[in-house]
Amino acid sequence: MIPFLDLKKVNKKYQSEIEQAVLRVVRSGWYILGEEVKQFENSFAEHCQVKCCIGVGNGLEAIKLILCAYKELGVMSEGDEVIVPANTYIATILAITESGLTPVLVEPDIRTYNLDPKKIEEKITSKTKAILPVHLYGLCCPMDEINKIAQKYNLKVIDDAAQAHGAVYNGFPIGGLCDATAFSFYPTKNLGALGDAGAITTNDKQLAEVIRALANYGTEAKYINKYKGINSRLDEMQAAILAVRLKYLKDDTIYRQELASKYLNEIVNNHIVLPFVRVIEEHTFHMFVIRCQKRNELQKYLLEQGIQTQVHYPIPPHKQEAYKEWSNLSFPITERIHDEVLSLPLNTALNFSEITEIIDCVNKF
């Protein structure tokens, strides 16, 4: 059996260093908001080529904290609209509604599965305050086009980079391409912790200060609460683990790209639509997602051949019971994507012979 993802095997490469890092934190006696977090924030800010990084509890809260900070700064108000791709993972939508704002769903580009800039302007109203692109599966959105639209209408751009650690756009790393960027370090991510974790990067120091306070009960100084904040803090243990993983992110990304290149060059099947790739070095391949009109049959066939796959994601947000008020909406491109996508195994625990086996099976379908 070729598993879709074996996290134990993935982390074995870093196990010794992670164990040393964990032991260091245990022996330090300091477990929240200490030196490990500061050091990781500085390292990740340098990696993203930005001035500020704030470690937080998870990726959903990273987006929520950015939006709530803009509300505190008077940039947004209750009920304001945020443009977001209709085919994103539900967490992106939840962050908007939990912040008291209104998601405005926009269809993606059928080639890239990312937000289609050509469809943004028709959804902008007097209530629109931000565009929230998602770099889905590790492919960067067309940020130049999106930023140009945002400048035209005086909107903020907040990108969801939960799947795009290490991605590059026109020579610049994800994390500093717009007003603020939200990251998740969920264990399955290319840069994964051993639990929940997240971060926000920005070049706006005032925004960063408000976010940091909001994430720590709204306090700028101990026991003095300036805002109605929440508890969303990256802990010392996860920061130390992430610092280890960050050292290997570039090499891990290159290996993923090599595996993906083999898929792209050798999968030849008229039933299969391969991922769009502009420049292979810019895509992090958090997922290798193909499309097939006979997706369910293909998934069943591959499992019979001993190959695990997953669907990211089977149900779009507007069809989820949680947002039943949208159930009458129609997003045909989004719905087609959710009906056809299938993620093949791609991670640093796989070797080239396993990729060859998967390719052979896909080609015979």
Side-chain angles (χ1 to χ4, degrees), residues 57-227:
N58 55 66
L60 186 155
E61 289 173 353
I63 302 171
K64 181 180 176 180
L65 284 162
I66 295 168
L67 295 171
C68 289
Y70 276 130
K71 288 176 71 177
E72 294 291 351
L73 290 167
V75 175
M76 300 179 190
S77 301
E78 196 79 8
D80 279 344
E81 296 172 351
V82 178
I83 287 174
V84 65
N87 65 315
T88 185
Y89 180 57
I90 196 74
T92 318
I93 308 294
L94 288 169
I96 297 170
T97 56
E98 282 192 12
S99 303
L101 301 169
T102 304
V104 175
L105 307 182
V106 174
E107 287 270 56
D109 184 325
I110 189 64
R111 299 175 310 146
T112 66
Y113 316 137
N114 282 336
L115 187 62
D116 189 343
K118 299 181 182 66
K119 295 182 172 69
I120 292 175
E121 287 193 78
E122 64 191 51
K123 294 294 185 80
I124 293 175
T125 72
S126 61
K127 295 284 286 180
T128 308
K129 292 296 186 292
I131 304 171
L132 207 169
V134 180
H135 307 294
L136 201 62
Y137 308 141
L139 175 66
C140 296
C141 295
M143 295 304 292
D144 286 347
E145 295 174 64
I146 292 170
N147 284 330
K148 188 175 180 180
I149 294 169
Q151 289 164 10
K152 179 179 177 181
Y153 293 94
N154 192 30
L155 307 176
K156 295 296 182 184
V157 179
I158 303 151
D159 56 343
D160 179 342
Q163 299 184 5
H165 318 79
V168 177
Y169 179 76
N170 289 341
F172 294 96
I174 289 291
L177 299 178
C178 57
D179 295 291
T181 301
F183 289 91
S184 165
F185 301 126
Y186 187 73
T188 60
K189 306 298 184 184
N190 292 21
L191 179 58
L194 297 189
D196 274 319
I200 296 160
T201 56
T202 182
N203 284 310
D204 184 335
K205 291 186 177 181
Q206 183 184 26
L207 177 68
E209 288 172 1
V210 177
I211 290 170
R212 194 175 291 282
L214 283 171
N216 189 29
Y217 300 104
T219 62
E220 289 187 324
K222 194 170 185 179
Y223 302 132
I224 300 174
N225 301 78
K226 186 174 181 179
Y227 310 106

Side-chain angles (χ1 to χ4, degrees), residues 276-294:
F276 171 83
V277 177
R278 188 179 69 158
V279 180
I280 194 88
E281 290 80 14
E282 293 186 346
H283 200 315
T284 66
F285 294 100
H286 172 58
M287 315 263 192
F288 191 91
V289 180
I290 61 175
R291 279 199 355 259
C292 179
Q293 290 183 359
K294 299 180 179 180

Side-chain angles (χ1 to χ4, degrees), residues 225-237:
N225 301 78
K226 186 174 181 179
Y227 310 106
K228 295 176 182 177
I230 62 174
N231 175 9
S232 180
R233 302 175 300 203
L234 177 64
D235 68 64
E236 290 286 280
M237 199 78 74

Side-chain angles (χ1 to χ4, degrees), residues 245-258:
R245 292 291 311 273
L246 182 58
K247 293 189 299 182
Y248 296 95
L249 180 59
K250 184 176 180 180
D251 288 343
D252 287 349
T253 301
I254 291 171
Y255 187 65
R256 284 177 173 270
Q257 290 163 348
E258 290 172 349

